[in-house]
Amino acid sequence: MVDDSEDDAYLLRAELARRGLPMYCRRVDSALDMAAALASDDWDIVLSDHDMPGFDALAALEVLKRSGRDVPFIIHSGRISDRQAVSAMYDGVDDFIAKGDYERLVPVIGRELRGALARRAVRQADSRIEQLAFFDGLSALPNHQSFCARVEAAIAHARERGRTPAGVVMVVDLDRFLRINASFGYDTGNALLRQVGERLRAGLAVEVMLARLGGDKFGVFLPAVVERGEAELVARWIVHSFERPFLKQHIELFLTASVGIAMLPGDGRAVHELLMNAETATGQVKRSGGNGLRFFERTMNAASAERLALEADLRHAVERSELFLEYQPVVAAAGADIRGVEALVRWRHPHLGRLSPDRFIPLADESGLIGEVGAWVLGEAARQGRLWADQGLDLRVSVNVSAVQFSQPRLLETVSRALHDSGLAPAQLVLEITESSLMNDVESAVGMLRALKNMGVRVAVDDFGTGYSSLSYLKRLPIDIIKIDKSFVRDLGGDSRDVAIVRAIIALAGSLGMSTVAEGVESAAQADVLRAAGCDFFQGFHFSRPCAAEALVL
């Protein structure tokens, strides 16, 4: 109530309450008091006298307008002419009621309150629509559309002022995030994505735009940045920010991120080009193991085009029978008779010729084709193993399992189907899994290995010694075989440290009831050192190169 008379305000309050409008009200009679009242509470309506000493209804209306509040304003006065009342309504007054006319005042108040409520509902709906259109529902960060609009607006603003657009676009892609969803469920994955968003937002400057682009990818825009060094500082902070664990129900979970960087205007003049190039750089980081950063370079596009073409061809490689297996013998240290073989996939590309797995297995992992390729390799190796068994040969067939393949629950189904379709005894199949794959998520690895062991298959740790094994974890993993990496075997004749490492690995395996296979044995001298150290099996060019099944001398 804007009124200079406490008695008039009391009478108005009493009359409205008597007519069924109980209320909380506050009387003010100056611009300063009215501004303070509007700032302190959310008021439903303003009833104002018109003619007061030093303050009138039009001045009160201006105070309301400056506050930015959408509150109905009704003049309730006996000292205002019809001309003044009409003029006031043109200025924004919602109605004019003569003082004392309560029979008309009550329905007008009801009408204005309903109108204000309807406007508020419209504003809330508009706000919700904007939230859905421009903000990510999971993280509450701006979404892909909002990010693109902000970058394009910055580019357009610079051009309108005759300046060269400047800024940096980064794509932050979480490494191997699918294993979180696969191991702990989507609720945990979503909780971690929210935590990632909160951590990045808290650490980035206010003027930096952070958005969730979709899935496990985030976008960062540094406006007006022109120096690579400044961009690199921010990118390195982002990478290092993941060193602290994330918590879910008091469990510590560790993530890493790959950051790709594209700079205006050299790496693109439109937001979609910048994003595409930043993602290309991110892909380079991921192919190098992740947990790092790369600036975009033009040469990456040529490599990306080649990879896209190779991926398209790989999608048809199985159905066109372009994949084939070669087998490298695993021989016993005592007697050098063949006890098993390792199946190695090759690709006979129609245009590029014979391709080694280094050329296409990482691509299969990245593109999601590893499931199909891996299933074919398992099935074909098991089929060949059964053929040898039918010939009376007691050979174990080893098959490599990639990190991506190992993280997928359907691996169990793939192994089971290969054994069932081929008829190979489970004990004759050895799955080789790299040390780093096991240590990425030990808890999940333990569960997967136990499930495989329950099926009867054997498990080997490949490239042992090159990762970051913990003895406390190693003793928990149900492993049958440790394969000593060839990097330790290569210099066995001359490097005493390698000899010491190999002896330690063999002793460790023996104490845990595991057998050992030395990879990359290329000379009799290496074999002698390994035999003296107690290694159980050898594999390498000294005994045989990989060859077709029919070319093996068994």
Side-chain angles (χ1 to χ4, degrees), residues 399-438:
V399 177
N400 290 285
V401 176
S402 77
V404 173
Q405 207 178 352
F406 185 66
S407 68
Q408 297 174 344
R410 61 179 174 177
L411 174 63
L412 298 174
E413 180 186 347
T414 302
V415 173
S416 177
R417 186 185 307 114
L419 293 172
H420 177 270
D421 293 347
S422 66
L424 179 69
Q428 299 303 111
L429 179 63
V430 180
L431 298 181
E432 296 191 6
I433 303 158
T434 63
E435 180 183 18
S436 56
S437 299
L438 295 174

Side-chain angles (χ1 to χ4, degrees), residues 5-67:
S5 170
E6 182 63 49
D7 291 340
D8 285 354
Y10 175 81
L11 180 60
L12 174 60
R13 187 165 52 243
E15 288 294 336
L16 292 178
R18 194 167 64 83
R19 287 167 169 78
L21 283 176
M23 68 192 75
Y24 168 76
C25 67
R26 178 173 172 181
R27 186 186 69 83
V28 297
D29 56 11
S30 70
L32 188 62
D33 287 347
M34 182 179 178
L38 288 170
S40 64
D41 286 295
D42 291 326
W43 300 96
D44 296 304
I45 201 159
V46 175
L47 301 179
S48 177
D49 194 3
H50 176 62
D51 190 12
M52 297 168 286
F55 197 47
D56 62 16
L58 295 182
L61 180 63
E62 285 303 312
V63 173
L64 176 61
K65 288 179 178 179
R66 286 197 299 270
S67 74

Side-chain angles (χ1 to χ4, degrees), residues 262-316:
M263 300 190 68
L264 269 164
D267 298 333
R269 296 181 176 274
V271 63
H272 295 293
E273 185 181 5
L274 290 163
L275 278 173
M276 180 182 68
N277 291 338
E279 286 203 35
T280 298
T282 302
Q284 293 283 330
V285 181
K286 283 186 168 293
R287 285 189 285 276
S288 300
N291 193 28
L293 62 95
R294 284 287 296 272
F295 283 86
F296 172 75
E297 300 170 5
R298 289 292 169 185
T299 55
M300 293 178 182
N301 276 339
S304 296
E306 180 184 340
R307 288 178 65 85
L308 284 173
L310 202 61
E311 179 185 334
D313 292 338
L314 184 58
R315 291 185 180 276
H316 303 290

